[in-house]
Amino acid sequence: MVERIKIKTADLNVWFNVIPSLKNIDIEIHEREILGIIGPANSGKSTFLRCLNRFNDLYQSFKMQGKIFIDEMDIYANIDVWGLRKKVGMVFALPVVLPLSIFENIAYGPRRHGIKNKNRLADIVENTLKAAYLWDEVKDRLDSSAMKLSGGQQQRLCLARTLAVEPDIILYDEPCSGLDPISTAKIEEAMVRFKEKYTQVLVTNNTKQAARVSDRTAFFLMGELIELDRTEKIFTNPIDQRTDDYISGRFG
């Protein structure tokens, strides 16, 4: 079976001012897979992730050459960036909850996209909280402030909020970096289950996490894509010695 290509980059180069961040990146990401991206600090992982929904555009020093296609559409052509970010949701390392109730945090996005019906919004809130493994913990206090949730609960709330606008792609930038093992396990369980519907790209400094949840893994080093293969192969028989050195802890 031929895997459908969801995301493709061609000769992607990125600079901030004159400092190169990504160099000649060519990647094809399959539909409904989890691509894990590993590598040491300052290897370009997060920069690559932010290219996929044009978050780097927010930096005046950002400069890019090359192409990025999602569903064969050039996302750096003349397109609706707001619409792109609805299609390509993102979960950050630190949960950023709105100073609103749990319910309103999730309803915020759908409302901005024109959904006003109260019953429809209630369904979205319930379904996304269930998908993020948070419903049972908060269903009796949806009107309470989201700021009162624990860090792990806030991160799952952010995941539910991302799902609420019905993306095709979910990007994760170190989503479990500050979480306890139980919250991490819940996020990872959700990721695996989401493969039925979403294409997912996970940047993580936790190689064990990449090994647990990723279908394929890419190793970045100093802005270059060193190796990309099936996760099992990357972790047991990598082609490049630098990949093996990083995974085995000899550097990074």
Side-chain angles (χ1 to χ4, degrees):
M1 179 178 174
V2 177
E3 299 282 358
R4 181 176 180 270
I5 303 303
K6 186 71 174 179
I7 304 169
K8 180 178 180 179
T9 71
D11 197 24
L12 177 63
N13 290 268
V14 170
W15 299 264
F16 290 95
N17 291 321
V18 296
I19 301 172
S21 182
L22 294 174
K23 307 170 188 175
N24 308 112
I25 304 296
D26 294 302
I27 283 182
E28 293 182 345
I29 301 174
H30 302 153
E31 186 173 43
R32 298 181 186 176
E33 78 166 332
I34 301 177
L35 176 70
I37 300 179
I38 61 173
N42 300 314
S43 60
K45 307 185 301 296
S46 293
T47 296
F48 174 77
L49 202 69
R50 292 193 299 266
C51 283
L52 301 182
N53 65 355
R54 295 188 54 170
F55 260 42
N56 287 321
D57 293 15
L58 303 174
Y59 299 96
Q60 290 185 344
S61 60
F62 169 69
K63 180 182 176 183
M64 191 195 93
Q65 290 181 353
K67 299 286 187 180
I68 302 176
F69 301 94
I70 294 179
D71 291 328
E72 301 183 350
M73 178 182 67
D74 182 352
I75 68 168
Y76 280 83
N78 186 22
I79 67 164
D80 173 15
V81 176
W82 175 249
L84 172 70
R85 291 176 185 157
K86 177 180 183 295
K87 181 185 181 76
V88 186
M90 190 162 183
V91 178
F92 297 94
L94 296 176
V96 181
V97 300
L98 303 174
L100 301 170
S101 70
I102 294 168
F103 185 97
E104 291 300 329
N105 261 267
I106 297 174
Y108 179 83
R111 278 204 179 99
R112 289 205 59 179
H113 290 286
I115 297 176
K116 306 298 183 183
N117 181 275
K118 292 182 179 180
N119 291 333
R120 174 70 178 128
L121 289 170
D123 286 343
I124 291 171
V125 170
E126 180 175 347
N127 291 336
T128 56
L129 284 172
K130 285 179 176 177
Y133 294 94
L134 188 56
W135 174 252
D136 288 341
E137 298 171 39
V138 302
K139 62 183 179 183
D140 296 324
R141 50 182 174 134
L142 295 178
D143 293 331
S144 298
S145 171
M147 309 296 287
K148 295 180 180 179
L149 297 174
S150 69
Q153 289 173 327
Q154 287 187 9
Q155 190 66 303
R156 281 177 280 148
L157 179 69
C158 290
L159 179 55
R161 195 172 64 199
T162 298
L163 299 177
V165 296
E166 300 183 337
D168 288 342
I169 298 164
I170 305 175
L171 311 177
Y172 305 92
D173 193 1
E174 293 288 342
C176 303
S177 60
L179 303 187
D180 61 83
I182 293 175
S183 294
T184 295
K186 289 181 178 179
I187 294 284
E188 291 179 359
E189 186 175 350
M191 288 180 190
V192 172
R193 194 156 60 84
F194 290 168
K195 289 198 297 180
E196 298 175 2
K197 187 173 181 180
Y198 307 103
T199 301
Q200 300 171 85
V201 186
L202 167 67
V203 163
T204 179
N205 285 328
N206 185 338
T207 55
K208 291 181 179 179
Q209 181 174 67
R212 286 193 297 264
V213 304
S214 301
D215 299 295
R216 293 188 303 152
T217 298
F219 173 55
F220 278 50
L221 181 64
M222 298 180 67
E224 297 182 29
L225 172 62
I226 304 302
E227 191 168 351
L228 190 161
D229 212 324
R230 291 178 296 104
T231 294
E232 180 182 3
K233 188 173 187 301
I234 286 286
F235 280 90
T236 59
N237 188 28
I239 294 173
D240 195 288
Q241 184 62 47
R242 291 169 293 180
T243 309
D244 188 52
D245 289 345
Y246 177 74
I247 290 171
S248 61
R250 286 191 281 272
F251 79 89

